[in-house]
Amino acid sequence: MDMNTETLQHIENQALTAAAKKVYTDDKGQQFLIGDDVQPYHRNWQADDVITTSTLSSIVTYIKSGMDARKHVLIHVVSPTEVKLIGDLDEYGEREELMVAEPTNDDIRWGRYYDRESMNILLQSSFKSTSDGTTTDDRDAIIQFIGNLVQDNNSVHVQDDGVTQSANIRQGVANQAEAKVPNPVLLKPYRTFTEVDQPESHFIFRINADMAAALFEADGGAWRQVAINNVKKYLNNELADLTDVDSKVTILG
């Protein structure tokens, strides 16, 4: 006999009524089973709590541990900073959420002007270097540039045509020279899970007369899809034996 969702819901409600129990939903959407006592209500196959983590490896470990008896699970790469492990669609049209992973990267405020010292620290702590030891990457070029800026009455003389900036920097021990501000720059900030390669993208670097510097995103958000693909690649590699056709894991992104 083919029973639709409405029929199954009716049977479940009848069973609860026969047991002299009711399901009560409060104003926050939380459901409780009321009978001889009051307890949170959920179907038998639903987890009580969602496991939260900051790493992709935690999801891999959970799946490989065998502690979950489900025949199939779905990994949804929602964004560069959110990955969910969920169950299959049930007969009520719902999916059970099992785990949520979100990295704990420090927030970088694009477009905000940082003083010279703060920008130096930010570039060294929140950006990956791409230098191979023989060349200077754009991150190191910016660090060197802001470190050599020459102050004049607590300010920096900056020439700006709206596109290109130039400022006075130290050259050697006693000399000064006018140099162009590095622009655009190719950088690799930590913007997704540390287990995967960080997306490399272009930024506009600007300085003002107060020696403050800012970075503006200049790739139209294309890095997000690169990051999602990197996360999917990591998960596919780690779960290679479980992601074949008719297997336990499906990865979406």
Side-chain angles (χ1 to χ4, degrees):
M1 180 174 64
D2 182 23
M3 293 190 292
N4 58 27
T5 300
E6 185 177 350
T7 302
L8 290 168
Q9 185 68 64
H10 176 72
I11 293 173
E12 183 176 18
N13 291 338
Q14 289 293 100
L16 291 171
T17 301
K21 296 181 178 181
K22 291 184 177 181
V23 176
Y24 168 73
T25 303
D26 65 16
D27 56 359
K28 295 182 180 179
Q30 180 69 42
Q31 291 186 314
F32 298 92
L33 187 63
I34 302 175
D36 294 335
D37 57 2
V38 178
Q39 60 187 13
Y41 172 68
H42 57 80
R43 300 187 181 94
N44 291 335
W45 60 85
Q46 289 183 325
D48 286 325
D49 297 299
V50 177
I51 299 174
T52 58
T53 180
S54 61
T55 63
L56 298 174
S57 59
S58 295
I59 292 180
V60 172
T61 299
Y62 177 86
I63 293 173
K64 287 186 172 182
S65 69
M67 68 178 68
D68 198 310
R70 290 170 181 76
K71 294 181 179 180
H72 182 263
V73 290
L74 176 69
I75 299 177
H76 182 198
V77 185
V78 181
S79 73
T81 56
E82 183 180 19
V83 175
K84 292 183 177 181
L85 177 66
I86 54 182
D88 284 334
L89 196 68
D90 65 24
E91 64 265 39
Y92 296 97
E94 299 177 353
R95 292 188 187 277
E96 182 181 10
E97 195 170 292
L98 306 173
M99 293 185 72
V100 176
E102 296 177 324
T104 56
N105 299 337
D106 292 334
D107 184 36
I108 301 175
R109 284 173 281 185
W110 309 114
R112 173 194 168 178
Y113 279 86
Y114 292 83
D115 63 68
R116 182 165 59 167
E117 185 67 14
S118 297
M119 178 59 76
N120 187 308
I121 294 171
L122 179 69
L123 287 166
Q124 294 190 65
S125 63
S126 298
F127 290 73
K128 290 193 68 174
S129 173
T130 59
S131 175
D132 60 5
T134 60
T135 60
T136 300
D137 66 359
D138 287 352
R139 186 199 72 158
D140 293 340
I142 295 175
I143 292 173
Q144 183 178 11
F145 182 87
I146 61 177
N148 287 326
L149 284 173
V150 176
Q151 267 185 293
D152 182 15
N153 295 325
N154 295 321
S155 66
V156 176
H157 178 63
V158 180
Q159 296 189 42
D160 190 346
D161 63 6
V163 177
T164 303
Q165 289 183 301
S166 59
N168 288 333
I169 65 169
R170 297 184 187 90
Q171 191 175 66
V173 177
N175 297 327
Q176 297 182 19
E178 189 175 277
K180 288 185 178 180
V181 175
N183 239 339
V185 289
L186 195 61
L187 301 171
K188 295 182 73 170
Y190 288 100
R191 292 181 285 184
T192 186
F193 295 88
T194 56
E195 293 111 317
V196 307
D197 189 31
Q198 301 300 307
E200 189 176 60
S201 55
H202 283 97
F203 294 84
I204 303 300
F205 176 66
R206 302 283 291 178
I207 61 172
N208 62 24
D210 297 323
M211 294 183 65
L215 287 164
F216 298 81
E217 292 182 284
D219 74 338
W223 72 270
R224 291 180 174 84
Q225 190 57 54
V226 175
I228 288 174
N229 290 338
N230 290 348
V231 171
K232 287 176 60 181
K233 181 179 179 180
Y234 170 87
L235 292 170
N236 275 311
N237 288 339
E238 293 296 317
L239 300 168
D241 55 336
L242 299 173
T243 55
D244 297 330
V245 179
D246 299 326
S247 65
K248 181 180 175 69
V249 182
T250 299
I251 301 173
L252 299 177

